[in-house]
Amino acid sequence: MSSTTTENAKTVEKTGAGRDASNRPSALVTDQGTTTIADAVVQKIAGLAAREVRGVHDLGGGTARAIGALRDRIPGASSSIGQGVSVEVGEKQAAVDLELVVEYGVAIAELAIAVRRNVITAIEQMTGLEVVEVNINVNDVFIEDDTDEQQSAGRDRVQ
């Protein structure tokens, strides 16, 4: 997450600016105790919610996707649902940064709106945290390549 985003999220959380969360009661902080939600939990929820939106091909930058591809080839290794997702989680609020690879032909502005809406809804419903911002960075466009299909067909023929 960028330092500006982190500073903004912390400022919003401490001052109660934004949607005025300071006056709103929280299900996570009560007289009977406090519920703490780990960053990794919010990261996974955001990653799954972003992938649910049609037009999102993958999450993460080139390096993260390359490491993920290597990890997928290792038996017993699990893929990272939180790949391409950075979060900042406080007591009552969360901020999210996403790196997306979109499918060619998708209207990126409309996709960003849908992803943002889905991520906010999922996090707020599952955790009770208020999502103060979801920043989206589109870093690649996926184009289905015919040469991949031809190469795999060629490999099947030769034994």
Side-chain angles (χ1 to χ4, degrees):
M1 198 177 290
S2 70
S3 62
T4 305
T5 301
T6 304
E7 289 170 12
N8 289 344
K10 288 179 182 176
T11 302
V12 168
E13 191 165 314
K14 287 179 183 174
T15 63
R19 292 194 242 167
D20 198 21
S22 60
N23 296 332
R24 195 176 70 173
S26 172
L28 298 173
V29 180
T30 67
D31 292 336
Q32 288 99 12
T34 302
T35 303
T36 304
I37 299 174
D39 291 8
V41 173
V42 176
Q43 184 181 27
K44 286 181 181 181
I45 293 168
L48 289 169
R51 284 179 173 87
E52 288 176 353
V53 178
R54 184 181 207 144
V56 174
H57 177 73
D58 203 357
L59 272 72
T63 305
R65 289 195 323 267
I67 292 170
L70 288 173
R71 184 179 42 243
D72 290 343
R73 293 180 183 167
I74 299 170
S78 61
S79 62
S80 175
I81 295 170
Q83 172 182 306
V85 182
S86 299
V87 298
E88 179 79 24
V89 180
E91 286 184 3
K92 298 178 182 180
Q93 298 176 327
V96 180
D97 287 343
L98 299 169
E99 290 189 33
L100 301 182
V101 178
V102 300
E103 295 175 358
Y104 176 77
V106 173
I108 294 174
E110 291 175 18
L111 178 69
I113 291 168
V115 168
R116 190 171 285 115
R117 185 177 334 130
N118 206 43
V119 168
I120 290 170
T121 301
I123 292 172
E124 289 184 347
Q125 286 181 354
M126 292 184 70
T127 67
L129 292 166
E130 175 191 15
V131 179
V132 293
E133 64 184 15
V134 176
N135 299 308
I136 297 173
N137 178 28
V138 177
N139 59 25
D140 202 358
V141 174
F142 174 76
I143 302 169
E144 191 157 347
D145 193 9
D146 292 338
T147 58
D148 290 340
E149 293 173 10
Q150 291 171 357
Q151 287 175 353
S152 64
R155 278 189 230 122
D156 293 340
R157 269 190 347 196
V158 179
Q159 295 182 5

